[in-house]
Amino acid sequence: EQNPLIDQQYLEETNYVLQNDFRRVIPYVYTFKVFAKGRWYLRPLLSVLQEEFRSYNEDYYLRAIASGRINVNSKIVSPEYLIQEHDTICHFVHRHEPPVTSMPINVIHDDNQLLVIDKPPSIPVHPSGRFRHNSVIFILAK
């Protein structure tokens, strides 16, 4: 049965390893995909990355653009590329998620309209921050 919340391709991008009471996600490549915002139009790609996505420094962005890990419309472009309407910017990153406890998530009630669970405190409910596959949504979907 197909999961209505998560596409199968996302469920298949990695697996878990249970080790020493922890659930560990095998590192995987994740694609951040964003559609150009109006305020970005006719601005250089590097400038947009530095001002809108401050997770990395200029050197990282320059290397990522040159290698194609950051691309526009599936094409390698220069850091000076001017963002256009309808552009799609993709950033491919190698993800390492923090481990969470391997304690089970217990289903207390499920009637196809309401799901009640008892989850360990270290597991986030939905993907956020550094957690994606190590979230209740993904664990239950697998």
Side-chain angles (χ1 to χ4, degrees):
E1 176 181 329
Q2 181 135 5
N3 187 299
L5 299 176
I6 303 172
D7 287 347
Q8 190 64 30
Q9 72 183 39
Y10 301 124
L11 293 175
E12 294 173 356
E13 66 191 358
T14 190
N15 285 305
Y16 301 107
V17 174
L18 301 180
Q19 180 183 50
N20 300 328
D21 297 326
F22 288 99
R23 178 186 311 272
R24 299 178 188 280
V25 175
I26 297 170
Y28 60 98
V29 175
Y30 177 70
T31 305
F32 288 98
K33 183 177 182 180
V34 65
F35 300 103
K37 313 283 186 258
R39 67 180 180 272
W40 302 353
Y41 296 170
L42 301 179
R43 289 184 50 209
L45 174 61
L46 180 60
S47 171
V48 169
L49 294 172
Q50 289 180 295
E51 292 175 25
E52 300 279 343
F53 306 99
R54 298 178 183 191
S55 300
Y56 300 99
N57 62 30
E58 179 178 1
D59 184 56
Y60 171 86
Y61 283 129
L62 288 170
R63 286 182 286 119
I65 293 167
S67 70
R69 283 179 302 165
I70 295 177
N71 65 52
V72 179
N73 304 324
S74 301
K75 296 181 181 126
I76 295 177
V77 297
S78 76
E80 296 81 28
Y81 173 85
L82 299 179
I83 304 293
Q84 304 295 312
E85 188 174 357
H86 305 297
D87 277 350
T88 301
I89 301 167
C90 289
H91 182 192
F92 301 93
V93 294
H94 192 241
R95 298 281 306 253
H96 291 259
E97 294 190 25
V100 297
T101 181
S102 63
M103 291 174 51
I105 298 171
N106 298 312
V107 176
I108 296 172
H109 175 81
D110 182 3
D111 65 11
N112 289 328
Q113 292 197 357
L114 177 67
L115 176 67
V116 179
I117 62 168
D118 178 18
K119 75 167 193 68
S122 71
I123 304 176
V125 173
H126 56 80
S128 66
R130 295 178 6 192
F131 295 92
R132 185 157 182 256
H133 288 275
N134 259 344
S135 65
V136 169
I137 299 291
F138 271 83
I139 293 168
L140 290 178
K142 283 190 171 229

